[in-house]
Amino acid sequence: MCARHDEVYNDMAESMNPFEMARQQLATVAEKIDLDPDVHEVLRYPKRELTVNFPVSMDDGSVKMFTGYRVHHNLTRGPAKGGIRYHPETDLDEVRALAFCMTVKCAVVNIPYGGAKGGVVCDPAKLSAAELEDLTRRYTTEIAPLIGPDKDIPAPDMGTNPQIMAWIMDTYSMLAGYTVPGVVTGKPIAIGGSEGRVEATGRGVVAVTREALRTAGKQLPGMSVAVQGFGNVGSVAAFLFHRAGAKVVAVSDVRGAVLNNNGLDIRQLMAHTKEHGTVVGFPGSEPLPGDELLTVPCDVLVPAALQNQITTKNAARIRARFVIEGANGPTTPQADTILRENGVFVVPDVLANAGGVTVSYFEWVQDQQSFFWTEEEVNAKLEQILTRAFSQVLTASRRHDCDLRTAAYIVGIGRVAEAIRARGIYP
Ligand code: NAD
């Protein structure tokens, strides 16, 4: 094949529908673990999916239609769990792929949930607070038949936050006629949120990085780190890396990147971002084009922004020896192969960012019992679950002689398959 043909082929393969990519991942694992073909067939389909089109009254008096989704992938191990994404480019196939990823993620950390995901096609940055609240309340009403503390428990994802979870909880409670804190997680502590939930995904990213480094006899202090995305996941991870003695040399957001080879002061960078809405222009840093963040020289790279960021176009230029996937799906399968061939140690999303869903599970347990834990208890239990999951995935990777992504799927899909076999096919 000529080089140009190769490039076109790779571009086509990399722009593959995300749910088809998820199915390919499933097929790879199915072959490796000799998965029962009937179980494989069950897992190839989302259990149910709802598309809603709904009107919102905008501030200028006009009415605008929005589209939203809620997809349940597999509920064999428990109620549906998964975030809600507000993003202009989200679509049904992305939400299906993310719901599948949640089925695997919950099983990898062994929490009793099935996988789900939701999304609304919108740009939250372009909506006023009143429009965002109206959109959220109407979307909640539209998906209300699916959600509930025993059925499906949404949480934040890209473009959503604790305030949006509070509006979902309030709307659902108004429909029910009584307060139902356990219908969402990631909500403010004042209404049944958990200590440590906001930091949980970033905290988990740092915990699994520590475990990954340990496999190579290394430790966090002194490691240089680059983080793509400075939102909920990226900013907390950067802060905790900094606090653990690592040197965060570069950080980016949608507007650009900043670099300081001596290490950025993350606390000050957070204050700057709060004031200016971006990391760009941070004093004491050099500006860097956003797309160069991924290839800066560093020990640890944390993509914590969007999917499909590490591709055939940049994978060979990645200098980090460890890639810890804070975001969901940041690496295309083709780029994953390049990283593997180059000896990069990749901790996959279903393990690296599972801290969020783990503390969401703690929040739901606390809501169901109306009995709340301290932050120390939450963090200690989180550490315990992630360290155990990391070790189980590492063991599977050694046993099956495969990379950590395949191993995480082997562990996760294995648990889901066991549950499907135990329950049987109804009727
Ligand atoms: P967020 O909306 O809080 O932050 C996203 C960040 O990425 C922002 O700083 C934004 O400016 C930046 N960004 C967007 N496009 C970018 C680009 N092209 N280049 C560089 N930066 C860009 O979102 P979040 O909650 O931090 O989620 C980030 C990722 O982590 C998503 O893939 C999400 O699915 C995943 N995730 C989040 C959680 C959670 O608890 N929030 C849990 C698991 C996984």
Side-chain angles (χ1 to χ4, degrees), residues 56-64 131:
V56 175
S57 298
M58 307 303 280
D59 290 350
D60 66 5
S62 66
V63 167
K64 196 169 166 206
E131 289 166 345

Side-chain angles (χ1 to χ4, degrees), residues 14 31 56 78 98 104 144 154 159 173-174 209 212 215 217 219 221 234 252 269 307 338 363 379 416 424:
E14 288 199 305
E31 201 183 320
V56 175
L98 290 164
V104 178
S173 298
M174 288 298 125
T209 306
T215 64
Q219 292 186 328
S252 69
L269 181 57
Q307 62 276 24
I338 297 172
E363 178 174 333
N379 291 345
V416 178

Side-chain angles (χ1 to χ4, degrees), residues 29 31-34 392-403 406-407 410-411:
V29 172
E31 201 183 320
K32 200 136 192 130
I33 60 173
D34 209 7
Q392 290 170 339
V393 170
L394 188 66
T395 304
S397 84
R398 289 177 177 156
R399 184 177 309 139
H400 293 271
D401 190 23
C402 63
D403 57 286
T406 309
I410 288 173
V411 170

Side-chain angles (χ1 to χ4, degrees), residues 83 85-87 98 102 105 117 124 155-161 197-202 227-235 251-257 273 277-279 290-291 293-294 303-307 309 325-330 349 352-357 360:
R85 172 171 290 195
Y86 285 0
H87 194 274
L98 290 164
M102 287 305 297
K105 195 183 297 183
K117 203 79 183 187
D157 190 67
M158 269 173 63
T160 56
N161 57 29
R197 174 59 186 92
V198 173
E199 301 82 13
T201 311
V227 182
Q228 185 196 39
F230 204 60
N232 177 265
V233 181
S235 68
V251 160
S252 69
D253 64 22
V254 69
R255 306 253 297 268
T273 307
T278 175
V279 297
D291 54 3
L293 181 285
L294 296 170
L306 299 173
Q307 62 276 24
Q309 295 301 295
E325 294 185 338
N328 283 315
D349 47 10
N353 67 36
V357 74
S360 272

